[in-house]
PDB file of all heavy atoms in Angstrom:
ATOM      1  N   LEU A 149      19.805   5.184  12.678  1.00 98.00           N
ATOM      2  CA  LEU A 149      19.507   5.389  14.092  1.00 98.00           C
ATOM      3  C   LEU A 149      18.318   4.533  14.495  1.00 98.00           C
ATOM      4  O   LEU A 149      17.360   4.401  13.724  1.00 98.00           O
ATOM      5  CB  LEU A 149      19.155   6.862  14.367  1.00 98.00           C
ATOM      6  CG  LEU A 149      20.140   7.947  13.945  1.00 98.00           C
ATOM      7  CD1 LEU A 149      19.561   9.325  14.272  1.00 98.00           C
ATOM      8  CD2 LEU A 149      21.474   7.762  14.634  1.00 98.00           C
ATOM      9  N   ASN A 150      18.355   3.969  15.713  1.00 98.00           N
ATOM     10  CA  ASN A 150      17.183   3.252  16.190  1.00 98.00           C
ATOM     11  C   ASN A 150      16.234   4.214  16.893  1.00 98.00           C
ATOM     12  O   ASN A 150      16.491   5.422  16.987  1.00 98.00           O
ATOM     13  CB  ASN A 150      17.582   2.068  17.072  1.00 98.00           C
ATOM     14  CG  ASN A 150      18.243   2.479  18.379  1.00 98.00           C
ATOM     15  OD1 ASN A 150      18.160   3.636  18.805  1.00 98.00           O
ATOM     16  ND2 ASN A 150      18.905   1.539  19.020  1.00 98.00           N
ATOM     17  N   SER A 151      15.130   3.684  17.396  1.00 98.00           N
ATOM     18  CA  SER A 151      14.091   4.537  17.977  1.00 98.00           C
ATOM     19  C   SER A 151      14.502   5.163  19.302  1.00 98.00           C
ATOM     20  O   SER A 151      13.789   6.022  19.824  1.00 98.00           O
ATOM     21  CB  SER A 151      12.801   3.725  18.163  1.00 98.00           C
ATOM     22  OG  SER A 151      13.038   2.594  18.985  1.00 98.00           O
ATOM     23  N   LYS A 152      15.643   4.746  19.844  1.00 98.00           N
ATOM     24  CA  LYS A 152      16.181   5.374  21.052  1.00 98.00           C
ATOM     25  C   LYS A 152      17.239   6.419  20.715  1.00 98.00           C
ATOM     26  O   LYS A 152      17.859   7.000  21.613  1.00 98.00           O
ATOM     27  CB  LYS A 152      16.750   4.310  21.986  1.00 98.00           C
ATOM     28  CG  LYS A 152      15.695   3.339  22.508  1.00 98.00           C
ATOM     29  CD  LYS A 152      16.301   2.314  23.461  1.00 98.00           C
ATOM     30  CE  LYS A 152      15.221   1.366  23.977  1.00 98.00           C
ATOM     31  NZ  LYS A 152      15.790   0.325  24.885  1.00 98.00           N
ATOM     32  N   GLY A 153      17.484   6.613  19.426  1.00 98.00           N
ATOM     33  CA  GLY A 153      18.442   7.611  18.997  1.00 98.00           C
ATOM     34  C   GLY A 153      19.875   7.130  18.928  1.00 98.00           C
ATOM     35  O   GLY A 153      20.783   7.932  18.677  1.00 98.00           O
ATOM     36  N   ALA A 154      20.095   5.840  19.110  1.00 98.00           N
ATOM     37  CA  ALA A 154      21.455   5.302  19.061  1.00 98.00           C
ATOM     38  C   ALA A 154      21.855   5.008  17.618  1.00 98.00           C
ATOM     39  O   ALA A 154      21.033   4.565  16.805  1.00 98.00           O
ATOM     40  CB  ALA A 154      21.555   4.026  19.889  1.00 98.00           C
ATOM     41  N   VAL A 155      23.121   5.256  17.284  1.00 98.00           N
ATOM     42  CA  VAL A 155      23.656   4.902  15.975  1.00 98.00           C
ATOM     43  C   VAL A 155      23.901   3.397  15.953  1.00 98.00           C
ATOM     44  O   VAL A 155      24.748   2.884  16.685  1.00 98.00           O
ATOM     45  CB  VAL A 155      24.965   5.659  15.684  1.00 98.00           C
ATOM     46  CG1 VAL A 155      25.556   5.198  14.359  1.00 98.00           C
ATOM     47  CG2 VAL A 155      24.728   7.165  15.666  1.00 98.00           C
ATOM     48  N   VAL A 156      23.155   2.678  15.121  1.00 98.00           N
ATOM     49  CA  VAL A 156      23.291   1.223  15.063  1.00 98.00           C
ATOM     50  C   VAL A 156      24.110   0.769  13.863  1.00 98.00           C
ATOM     51  O   VAL A 156      24.588  -0.374  13.836  1.00 98.00           O
ATOM     52  CB  VAL A 156      21.917   0.523  15.060  1.00 98.00           C
ATOM     53  CG1 VAL A 156      21.182   0.779  16.369  1.00 98.00           C
ATOM     54  CG2 VAL A 156      21.073   0.976  13.883  1.00 98.00           C
ATOM     55  N   ALA A 157      24.295   1.643  12.876  1.00 98.00           N
ATOM     56  CA  ALA A 157      25.106   1.280  11.712  1.00 98.00           C
ATOM     57  C   ALA A 157      25.519   2.535  10.959  1.00 98.00           C
ATOM     58  O   ALA A 157      24.789   3.528  10.929  1.00 98.00           O
ATOM     59  CB  ALA A 157      24.342   0.344  10.774  1.00 98.00           C
ATOM     60  N   THR A 158      26.704   2.471  10.368  1.00 98.00           N
ATOM     61  CA  THR A 158      27.170   3.521   9.465  1.00 98.00           C
ATOM     62  C   THR A 158      27.803   2.849   8.253  1.00 98.00           C
ATOM     63  O   THR A 158      28.565   1.901   8.387  1.00 98.00           O
ATOM     64  CB  THR A 158      28.212   4.442  10.135  1.00 98.00           C
ATOM     65  OG1 THR A 158      29.297   3.647  10.641  1.00 98.00           O
ATOM     66  CG2 THR A 158      27.598   5.247  11.260  1.00 98.00           C
ATOM     67  N   TYR A 159      27.455   3.341   7.090  1.00 98.00           N
ATOM     68  CA  TYR A 159      28.068   2.863   5.853  1.00 98.00           C
ATOM     69  C   TYR A 159      28.596   4.068   5.094  1.00 98.00           C
ATOM     70  O   TYR A 159      27.851   5.017   4.814  1.00 98.00           O
ATOM     71  CB  TYR A 159      27.066   2.104   4.986  1.00 98.00           C
ATOM     72  CG  TYR A 159      27.532   1.966   3.550  1.00 98.00           C
ATOM     73  CD1 TYR A 159      28.573   1.104   3.228  1.00 98.00           C
ATOM     74  CD2 TYR A 159      26.965   2.734   2.534  1.00 98.00           C
ATOM     75  CE1 TYR A 159      29.037   1.008   1.912  1.00 98.00           C
ATOM     76  CE2 TYR A 159      27.412   2.635   1.224  1.00 98.00           C
ATOM     77  CZ  TYR A 159      28.451   1.784   0.925  1.00 98.00           C
ATOM     78  OH  TYR A 159      28.916   1.695  -0.370  1.00 98.00           O
ATOM     79  N   ARG A 160      29.863   4.035   4.755  1.00 98.00           N
ATOM     80  CA  ARG A 160      30.486   5.116   4.003  1.00 98.00           C
ATOM     81  C   ARG A 160      30.565   4.722   2.533  1.00 98.00           C
ATOM     82  O   ARG A 160      31.146   3.692   2.199  1.00 98.00           O
ATOM     83  CB  ARG A 160      31.855   5.435   4.604  1.00 98.00           C
ATOM     84  CG  ARG A 160      31.720   6.018   6.013  1.00 98.00           C
ATOM     85  CD  ARG A 160      33.001   6.013   6.814  1.00 98.00           C
ATOM     86  NE  ARG A 160      32.759   6.601   8.135  1.00 98.00           N
ATOM     87  CZ  ARG A 160      32.350   5.902   9.199  1.00 98.00           C
ATOM     88  NH1 ARG A 160      32.163   4.592   9.092  1.00 98.00           N
ATOM     89  NH2 ARG A 160      32.115   6.506  10.347  1.00 98.00           N
ATOM     90  N   LYS A 161      29.977   5.527   1.703  1.00 97.00           N
ATOM     91  CA  LYS A 161      29.831   5.237   0.275  1.00 97.00           C
ATOM     92  C   LYS A 161      31.165   4.817  -0.352  1.00 97.00           C
ATOM     93  O   LYS A 161      32.167   5.530  -0.251  1.00 97.00           O
ATOM     94  CB  LYS A 161      29.290   6.489  -0.414  1.00 97.00           C
ATOM     95  CG  LYS A 161      29.008   6.359  -1.903  1.00 97.00           C
ATOM     96  CD  LYS A 161      28.479   7.697  -2.410  1.00 97.00           C
ATOM     97  CE  LYS A 161      28.189   7.689  -3.892  1.00 97.00           C
ATOM     98  NZ  LYS A 161      27.764   9.036  -4.351  1.00 97.00           N
ATOM     99  N   THR A 162      31.149   3.672  -1.012  1.00 96.00           N
ATOM    100  CA  THR A 162      32.390   3.136  -1.578  1.00 96.00           C
ATOM    101  C   THR A 162      32.613   3.551  -3.026  1.00 96.00           C
ATOM    102  O   THR A 162      33.755   3.690  -3.457  1.00 96.00           O
ATOM    103  CB  THR A 162      32.399   1.598  -1.488  1.00 96.00           C
ATOM    104  OG1 THR A 162      31.228   1.081  -2.133  1.00 96.00           O
ATOM    105  CG2 THR A 162      32.411   1.137  -0.042  1.00 96.00           C
ATOM    106  N   HIS A 163      31.533   3.746  -3.781  1.00 94.00           N
ATOM    107  CA  HIS A 163      31.656   4.104  -5.192  1.00 94.00           C
ATOM    108  C   HIS A 163      31.364   5.594  -5.360  1.00 94.00           C
ATOM    109  O   HIS A 163      30.213   6.024  -5.275  1.00 94.00           O
ATOM    110  CB  HIS A 163      30.693   3.277  -6.045  1.00 94.00           C
ATOM    111  CG  HIS A 163      30.902   1.804  -5.932  1.00 94.00           C
ATOM    112  ND1 HIS A 163      30.103   1.000  -5.140  1.00 94.00           N
ATOM    113  CD2 HIS A 163      31.822   0.993  -6.485  1.00 94.00           C
ATOM    114  CE1 HIS A 163      30.525  -0.254  -5.220  1.00 94.00           C
ATOM    115  NE2 HIS A 163      31.562  -0.283  -6.031  1.00 94.00           N
ATOM    116  N   LEU A 164      32.394   6.368  -5.590  1.00 93.00           N
ATOM    117  CA  LEU A 164      32.230   7.811  -5.720  1.00 93.00           C
ATOM    118  C   LEU A 164      31.909   8.187  -7.166  1.00 93.00           C
ATOM    119  O   LEU A 164      32.385   7.559  -8.110  1.00 93.00           O
ATOM    120  CB  LEU A 164      33.499   8.526  -5.264  1.00 93.00           C
ATOM    121  CG  LEU A 164      33.931   8.217  -3.820  1.00 93.00           C
ATOM    122  CD1 LEU A 164      35.165   9.018  -3.450  1.00 93.00           C
ATOM    123  CD2 LEU A 164      32.798   8.490  -2.833  1.00 93.00           C
ATOM    124  N   CYS A 165      31.101   9.223  -7.305  1.00 88.00           N
ATOM    125  CA  CYS A 165      30.580   9.603  -8.623  1.00 88.00           C
ATOM    126  C   CYS A 165      31.506  10.620  -9.287  1.00 88.00           C
ATOM    127  O   CYS A 165      31.409  11.824  -9.032  1.00 88.00           O
ATOM    128  CB  CYS A 165      29.169  10.165  -8.464  1.00 88.00           C
ATOM    129  SG  CYS A 165      28.326  10.443 -10.026  1.00 88.00           S
ATOM    130  N   ASP A 166      32.407  10.125 -10.106  1.00 79.00           N
ATOM    131  CA  ASP A 166      33.280  10.974 -10.919  1.00 79.00           C
ATOM    132  C   ASP A 166      32.849  10.808 -12.372  1.00 79.00           C
ATOM    133  O   ASP A 166      33.132   9.786 -13.002  1.00 79.00           O
ATOM    134  CB  ASP A 166      34.744  10.567 -10.755  1.00 79.00           C
ATOM    135  CG  ASP A 166      35.303  10.911  -9.382  1.00 79.00           C
ATOM    136  OD1 ASP A 166      34.573  11.516  -8.573  1.00 79.00           O
ATOM    137  OD2 ASP A 166      36.467  10.560  -9.109  1.00 79.00           O
ATOM    138  N   VAL A 167      32.153  11.792 -12.898  1.00 78.00           N
ATOM    139  CA  VAL A 167      31.604  11.672 -14.251  1.00 78.00           C
ATOM    140  C   VAL A 167      31.799  12.966 -15.019  1.00 78.00           C
ATOM    141  O   VAL A 167      31.973  14.043 -14.440  1.00 78.00           O
ATOM    142  CB  VAL A 167      30.094  11.318 -14.209  1.00 78.00           C
ATOM    143  CG1 VAL A 167      29.864   9.968 -13.562  1.00 78.00           C
ATOM    144  CG2 VAL A 167      29.300  12.401 -13.489  1.00 78.00           C
ATOM    145  N   GLU A 168      31.760  12.837 -16.320  1.00 78.00           N
ATOM    146  CA  GLU A 168      31.788  13.991 -17.217  1.00 78.00           C
ATOM    147  C   GLU A 168      30.355  14.243 -17.684  1.00 78.00           C
ATOM    148  O   GLU A 168      29.742  13.396 -18.334  1.00 78.00           O
ATOM    149  CB  GLU A 168      32.695  13.710 -18.409  1.00 78.00           C
ATOM    150  CG  GLU A 168      32.924  14.897 -19.318  1.00 78.00           C
ATOM    151  CD  GLU A 168      33.947  15.879 -18.771  1.00 78.00           C
ATOM    152  OE1 GLU A 168      34.804  15.456 -17.972  1.00 78.00           O
ATOM    153  OE2 GLU A 168      33.883  17.062 -19.159  1.00 78.00           O
ATOM    154  N   ILE A 169      29.803  15.402 -17.331  1.00 75.00           N
ATOM    155  CA  ILE A 169      28.424  15.727 -17.673  1.00 75.00           C
ATOM    156  C   ILE A 169      28.413  16.563 -18.940  1.00 75.00           C
ATOM    157  O   ILE A 169      29.009  17.653 -18.971  1.00 75.00           O
ATOM    158  CB  ILE A 169      27.729  16.488 -16.531  1.00 75.00           C
ATOM    159  CG1 ILE A 169      27.775  15.653 -15.245  1.00 75.00           C
ATOM    160  CG2 ILE A 169      26.296  16.831 -16.904  1.00 75.00           C
ATOM    161  CD1 ILE A 169      27.209  16.370 -14.038  1.00 75.00           C
ATOM    162  N   PRO A 170      27.755  16.101 -20.006  1.00 76.00           N
ATOM    163  CA  PRO A 170      27.720  16.869 -21.261  1.00 76.00           C
ATOM    164  C   PRO A 170      27.178  18.272 -21.045  1.00 76.00           C
ATOM    165  O   PRO A 170      26.121  18.470 -20.452  1.00 76.00           O
ATOM    166  CB  PRO A 170      26.783  16.041 -22.150  1.00 76.00           C
ATOM    167  CG  PRO A 170      26.872  14.652 -21.594  1.00 76.00           C
ATOM    168  CD  PRO A 170      27.050  14.810 -20.115  1.00 76.00           C
ATOM    169  N   GLY A 171      27.935  19.237 -21.504  1.00 75.00           N
ATOM    170  CA  GLY A 171      27.512  20.623 -21.397  1.00 75.00           C
ATOM    171  C   GLY A 171      27.780  21.273 -20.058  1.00 75.00           C
ATOM    172  O   GLY A 171      27.571  22.482 -19.894  1.00 75.00           O
ATOM    173  N   GLN A 172      28.209  20.478 -19.063  1.00 75.00           N
ATOM    174  CA  GLN A 172      28.438  21.028 -17.731  1.00 75.00           C
ATOM    175  C   GLN A 172      29.854  20.779 -17.220  1.00 75.00           C
ATOM    176  O   GLN A 172      30.265  21.374 -16.227  1.00 75.00           O
ATOM    177  CB  GLN A 172      27.434  20.436 -16.726  1.00 75.00           C
ATOM    178  CG  GLN A 172      25.989  20.785 -17.032  1.00 75.00           C
ATOM    179  CD  GLN A 172      25.039  20.255 -15.962  1.00 75.00           C
ATOM    180  OE1 GLN A 172      25.432  20.021 -14.831  1.00 75.00           O
ATOM    181  NE2 GLN A 172      23.779  20.058 -16.335  1.00 75.00           N
ATOM    182  N   GLY A 173      30.571  19.873 -17.852  1.00 71.00           N
ATOM    183  CA  GLY A 173      31.921  19.587 -17.406  1.00 71.00           C
ATOM    184  C   GLY A 173      31.958  18.460 -16.393  1.00 71.00           C
ATOM    185  O   GLY A 173      30.959  17.778 -16.143  1.00 71.00           O
TER     186      GLY A 173
END
Side-chain angles (χ1 to χ4, degrees):
L149 305 178
N150 66 16
S151 58
K152 296 181 179 178
V155 176
V156 296
T158 55
Y159 163 72
R160 294 164 180 88
K161 183 180 179 184
T162 56
H163 301 101
L164 302 182
C165 189
D166 290 357
V167 297
E168 187 79 25
I169 302 175
Q172 297 184 23

